[in-house]
Amino acid sequence: MDVSAILLIHCPDQPGLVAAISNFIADNGGNILDLDQHVDDERGVFFMRVEWDLAGFRIPLPQIAERFGDAIGTPFHMQWQLHFSNERPRMAIFVSRLPHCLTDLLARWQSGEWQVEIPLIISNHDTLRPVAEQFGIEFRVFPIDATNKAEQEERELALLHEFAIDLVVLARYMQVLSPRLINAFDARIINIHHSFLPAFPGSRPYHSAHARGVKIIGATSHYVTEELDSGPIIAQDVTPITHRDPVDALVRKGRDLERTVLARAIWFHIQRKVLSYDNRTVVFD
Amino acid sequence: MDVSAILLIHCPDQPGLVAAISNFIADNGGNILDLDQHVDDERGVFFMRVEWDLAGFRIPLPQIAERFGDAIGTPFHMQWQLHFSNERPRMAIFVSRLPHCLTDLLARWQSGEWQVEIPLIISNHDTLRPVAEQFGIEFRVFPIDATNKAEQEERELALLHEFAIDLVVLARYMQVLSPRLINAFDARIINIHHSFLPAFPGSRPYHSAHARGVKIIGATSHYVTEELDSGPIIAQDVTPITHRDPVDALVRKGRDLERTVLARAIWFHIQRKVLSYDNRTVVFD
Amino acid sequence: MDVSAILLIHCPDQPGLVAAISNFIADNGGNILDLDQHVDDERGVFFMRVEWDLAGFRIPLPQIAERFGDAIGTPFHMQWQLHFSNERPRMAIFVSRLPHCLTDLLARWQSGEWQVEIPLIISNHDTLRPVAEQFGIEFRVFPIDATNKAEQEERELALLHEFAIDLVVLARYMQVLSPRLINAFDARIINIHHSFLPAFPGSRPYHSAHARGVKIIGATSHYVTEELDSGPIIAQDVTPITHRDPVDALVRKGRDLERTVLARAIWFHIQRKVLSYDNRTVVFD
Amino acid sequence: MDVSAILLIHCPDQPGLVAAISNFIADNGGNILDLDQHVDDERGVFFMRVEWDLAGFRIPLPQIAERFGDAIGTPFHMQWQLHFSNERPRMAIFVSRLPHCLTDLLARWQSGEWQVEIPLIISNHDTLRPVAEQFGIEFRVFPIDATNKAEQEERELALLHEFAIDLVVLARYMQVLSPRLINAFDARIINIHHSFLPAFPGSRPYHSAHARGVKIIGATSHYVTEELDSGPIIAQDVTPITHRDPVDALVRKGRDLERTVLARAIWFHIQRKVLSYDNRTVVFD
């Protein structure tokens, strides 16, 4: 399969944006494979994802970013990212003691469902080391307590850099990250929260859902920001429950949701289909 | 179709409850059509809905309540309600200016989908009078402001009694009811709230949902209690949205949810399938 | 609100299409409000929906079609339609005896949810005349039997032309239309079928669903083609059922689906969001 | 946790069934934990699932079956099964080359989500041996071709008996089983089919779904019977798709459905919540 280029763009809206971008591609011999565009009328912001075939493209791959920036990006005051379809993002997984999301992610990676590398798993407990070993992945433990959090996160951060990690996935990691770590991976840390946010943020959402007597439970995958469980939502899904379901049934039904919703969010991210703006996401699905 | 009897029961759990109730029915010649039972282990409470054919039942209909109470209800400390399948509950609709739920309810009534009477519509505005007239139903307006709420609700309450109303449905009625009215119709006032509660209670939930950037919106139907939007939930449903949906699209998509969820809750109630207990519902679906 | 123009296009894929179209708009002073594009790789077909603001557009509205055709449509061998956001399509409803879809459509029209005219209802029975009268709409009855179908459809067709109908909606109309009528309204007749097509085509799908023991039922809205229940699908939705649901419960639950799915399909159509190609639809949602 | 007993019953409906069964339990000191009952009016068949605590039950566990049979089962002409909550059914998995369902099942087993043993995996290819080894489970290959099918299935059957298998799960096993194997495990072979049956039975359902242009895809888990893809349905679920999804996107989205739906069906089966009757299931959820 040929390599394609993907541009993710947002900028102040103005006439001629689509024409300028599509001319840049067409004039250089590119064929657009997929173009999706959105204007947020309220905020006056233009969003676009465009993917084009590089087969006959006349700009060499390493020069595309510079040429696009000079010709289009800078003049139109764009925030933009350029990706190539043959990239393999490097993903680290943070996990605590619950295996269901971890195993699911590793199975997808192992079966080739995702074009990613998973070189590193970080945990605050030793519990899931056997799962990591089963899949042959480096597993590092950093126990966290009230006194050592800052220094442990420094070590984690150093390790993320050492392993050249692009994307961090919190696969039911039961620690709140500090701003320093969050900011080092802005819009590149994906969490799965086991409720239909903004309902039931924080801990023990299944207990809260049961207590409130809701008839549907949910899971939410979002980018992590400094405010707990309040970052831009990438994906959500729900499943019906009944009065017959005690809390442990919610936990069981919720596991399937968590797996699926987290995987969906990661898929969007690694396919470069997500733009985050003003604490909301544009998902070009 | 023959008449059947429906018992809705809750009481402290203990061995022998099902046997006692089913013996009462069998010994008197009744054939059970449907029996659903639930035990809340945490609270130690037994819930049951049982429906039986009265065709060969040897206790005359007007004596069933007394006989059941003496033989089973009182000895087992039950809270119970007895209904008959040929009852036609009398339902009043409260509405403000938005027609979509009102029209939907009236269309279901008109087509015979529901076995109810709808003799009365109450509003705080005159806006929807033409809809009421279109369906030939009494429409009364009680404008509410800061100064007259108590006395207007007194008049509404008197009217509800005058019309022998069994069930009040708030079909997007934009006023908070006072405790006096709520308590007069305990577990007999059904509201539709246009969000997936407990997310976005109060006013303008679609605006809040849009601001938070959720990927799914919902609607919730619940019994009204004194605490706003916090009563026992009867039914909920959701629909996916995307970044392309501005607030007015949420409003449009939400209308279909509101109609369906409210109708479903009313259906459960008039089929005598709902028990409310400890701010939660048991829905024997 | 200002008027906008909407182009729906499909044509053989080739490089430069987006650039050509967006240049046509930008060069004439139009600002793109929404652009969605899709390439069917298998078939090599390009699809686009683009909407732009006519506020500063320098081509007068009546000349846009000709100018676009000459400059872009013809050279690129496009099939295209041009619509304007202030159009009010004229919709006729065909119905038999079941009121639920009809009333739902009329309520949406009455409340202003849709920007359409509904000047005409056609039925093969007199049953629903009161509903038509309730909403003040012309109701014409054409009883159909084995001997008169062709001539009755001729009369219906004449009536559709007389009323300048743009769109025909079969709202549970229990007659199969003849090719002549279908072809006169190609991709402009929308049907609601009460199953999750292609499962259970033809009559009595709820009975078939019950007999097969499915756990989910559905409804499908599609453009009508000569082959029964086989036209391009516009919208589908489903709802869970259980072993407790006899056929009449499926009918009841299905009604809510039918209403919602049909309304969704009509919305897509009148918003000019649907392209039909090779018996499939592209829905630019 | 204490051991409980579970009875699954069906028999001709008649008055007094619930009373007879609940008296048998109460009179012997059992406390009903859960009772769910259903009458199929059309067929005149009574179905029940009842679970009771054995803590104070006065009949010793090994004698319950005989005592129940004599007192209730035989006199009322019941088909019944008795299970105990501490049983661990022994499950064999059949698989071909696709790992996603297999890995998912093994991960659930490994994490203790299910109270089952999985001592054996059978395949017609060697492809997934590494997955079996990763989880430490016996993996046996029986290549099937036109000439050896009968004898290979004999060997498989012998192996199933040797491993004392109670339940066979076809986790995307791409061979049709012969009647002899099917009948040896009547209502104990669960298959996952990658479509919303009865739509798209047989091979390549995602290709068929794409060709038909459906807007929703599904997965169906059912007991295997001699007629292909036509056995009693245990669980189904669906997910929306759009025109943007080529066949490989359907395959990808479908994988998540297949995993979840198969797991749900297995859960119902091992919780003894499924009764199969007349090619339909009663799922006491």
Side-chain angles (χ1 to χ4, degrees), chain C residues 36-38 40 42-43 196-200 209-218 220 222 229-238 242-247 278-285, chain D residues 36-38 40 42-43 196-200 209-218 220 222 229-238 242-247 278-285:
Chain C
D36 204 345
Q37 171 264 17
H38 172 63
D40 182 327
E42 261 173 84
R43 293 169 178 77
F196 184 78
L197 288 174
F200 313 125
H210 186 259
R212 178 63 187 91
V214 293
K215 298 300 186 187
I216 292 175
I217 55 168
T220 303
H222 62 93
D229 296 334
S230 299
I233 294 170
I234 308 168
Q236 297 189 294
D237 209 347
V238 298
T242 78
H243 63 271
R244 289 185 177 273
D245 291 310
V247 171
D278 200 10
N279 211 44
R280 305 169 76 230
T281 62
V282 170
V283 179
F284 293 112
D285 184 19
Chain D
D36 204 346
Q37 171 263 20
H38 172 64
D40 183 326
E42 260 173 86
R43 293 168 178 76
F196 184 81
L197 288 174
F200 313 126
H210 187 259
R212 178 62 187 92
V214 293
K215 298 301 186 188
I216 292 175
I217 56 169
T220 303
H222 62 94
D229 297 333
S230 299
I233 293 170
I234 309 168
Q236 297 189 293
D237 208 349
V238 298
T242 77
H243 64 272
R244 290 185 175 272
D245 291 309
V247 171
D278 201 11
N279 212 44
R280 306 169 78 230
T281 63
V282 170
V283 180
F284 293 112
D285 185 18

Side-chain angles (χ1 to χ4, degrees), chain B residues 171-184:
Chain B
R172 299 298 308 275
Y173 180 64
M174 298 316 203
Q175 289 287 324
V176 177
L177 300 184
S178 309
R180 183 160 146 67
L181 185 45
I182 292 170
N183 293 324

Side-chain angles (χ1 to χ4, degrees), chain A:
Chain A
M1 193 171 138
D2 296 325
V3 177
S4 57
I6 300 157
L7 264 172
L8 281 171
I9 296 166
H10 66 88
C11 64
D13 191 28
Q14 59 170 281
L17 285 166
V18 176
I21 297 161
S22 55
N23 284 334
F24 173 82
I25 295 167
D27 293 350
N28 289 293
N31 188 26
I32 292 175
L33 301 172
D34 198 64
L35 181 150
D36 204 347
Q37 170 264 18
H38 171 64
V39 175
D40 183 327
D41 287 330
E42 260 173 85
R43 293 168 178 78
V45 181
F46 172 91
F47 299 88
M48 182 185 269
R49 182 189 188 275
V50 58
E51 181 166 3
W52 71 97
D53 195 344
L54 290 178
F57 203 58
R58 285 185 295 266
I59 306 178
L61 194 142
Q63 296 172 27
I64 298 175
E66 191 185 344
R67 294 277 295 276
F68 178 79
D70 289 350
I72 312 286
T74 307
F76 285 100
H77 308 287
M78 290 176 177
Q79 303 273 329
W80 55 275
Q81 314 165 30
L82 178 68
H83 297 284
F84 298 103
S85 62
N86 60 352
E87 292 167 359
R88 291 181 70 88
R90 294 174 64 81
M91 180 168 128
I93 302 174
F94 280 54
V95 70
S96 291
R97 297 176 203 252
L98 294 172
H100 59 283
C101 285
L102 176 65
T103 314
D104 184 71
L105 300 179
L106 297 179
R108 290 173 196 267
W109 162 77
Q110 187 181 56
S111 69
E113 181 175 325
W114 289 340
Q115 191 179 293
V116 293
E117 307 291 345
I118 305 184
L120 178 65
I121 299 170
I122 285 176
S123 184
N124 54 334
H125 296 284
D126 205 53
T127 318
L128 296 176
R129 182 180 297 279
V131 175
E133 287 173 351
Q134 203 177 0
F135 287 84
I137 294 174
E138 186 75 19
F139 185 83
R140 300 285 183 89
V141 178
F142 297 87
I144 308 266
D145 62 31
T147 67
N148 69 357
K149 183 160 188 167
E151 57 191 288
Q152 290 292 61
E153 285 200 359
E154 279 306 313
R155 291 192 187 103
E156 290 169 357
L157 194 48
L159 203 60
L160 295 176
H161 290 317
E162 183 193 323
F163 276 79
I165 295 302
D166 300 304
L167 173 65
V168 172
V169 172
L170 310 185
R172 299 297 311 272
Y173 180 64
M174 298 315 205
Q175 289 288 325
V176 177
L177 300 184
S178 308
R180 183 160 144 68
L181 185 46
I182 291 169
N183 293 324
F185 283 84
D186 180 41
R188 293 188 299 149
I189 306 178
I190 296 177
N191 183 44
I192 180 71
H193 182 76
H194 41 312
S195 85
F196 184 79
L197 288 174
F200 313 125
S203 63
R204 297 169 72 81
Y206 292 128
H207 289 78
S208 305
H210 186 259
R212 179 61 187 92
V214 292
K215 298 299 186 188
I216 291 176
I217 56 168
T220 303
S221 196
H222 62 93
Y223 288 120
V224 173
T225 56
E226 294 192 26
E227 197 181 340
L228 183 66
D229 296 333
S230 299
I233 293 169
I234 308 168
Q236 297 189 293
D237 208 349
V238 299
T239 203
I241 57 167
T242 77
H243 64 271
R244 289 185 177 271
D245 292 309
V247 171
D248 61 358
L250 305 197
V251 170
R252 178 176 57 77
K253 294 185 173 183
R255 273 196 296 256
D256 281 2
L257 273 182
E258 295 164 30
R259 274 188 278 243
T260 309
V261 170
L262 178 56
R264 204 177 295 162
I266 293 171
W267 171 261
F268 289 145
H269 183 93
I270 63 182
Q271 293 291 105
R272 312 302 185 181
K273 295 190 175 226
V274 192
L275 262 175
S276 174
Y277 178 83
D278 200 12
N279 211 44
R280 306 169 76 229
T281 62
V282 170
V283 178
F284 293 113
D285 185 20

Side-chain angles (χ1 to χ4, degrees), chain C residues 87-102:
Chain C
E87 293 167 0
R88 292 181 69 89
R90 294 173 65 81
M91 180 169 129
I93 302 174
F94 280 54
V95 71
S96 292
R97 295 176 205 253
L98 295 172
H100 60 284
C101 285
L102 176 65

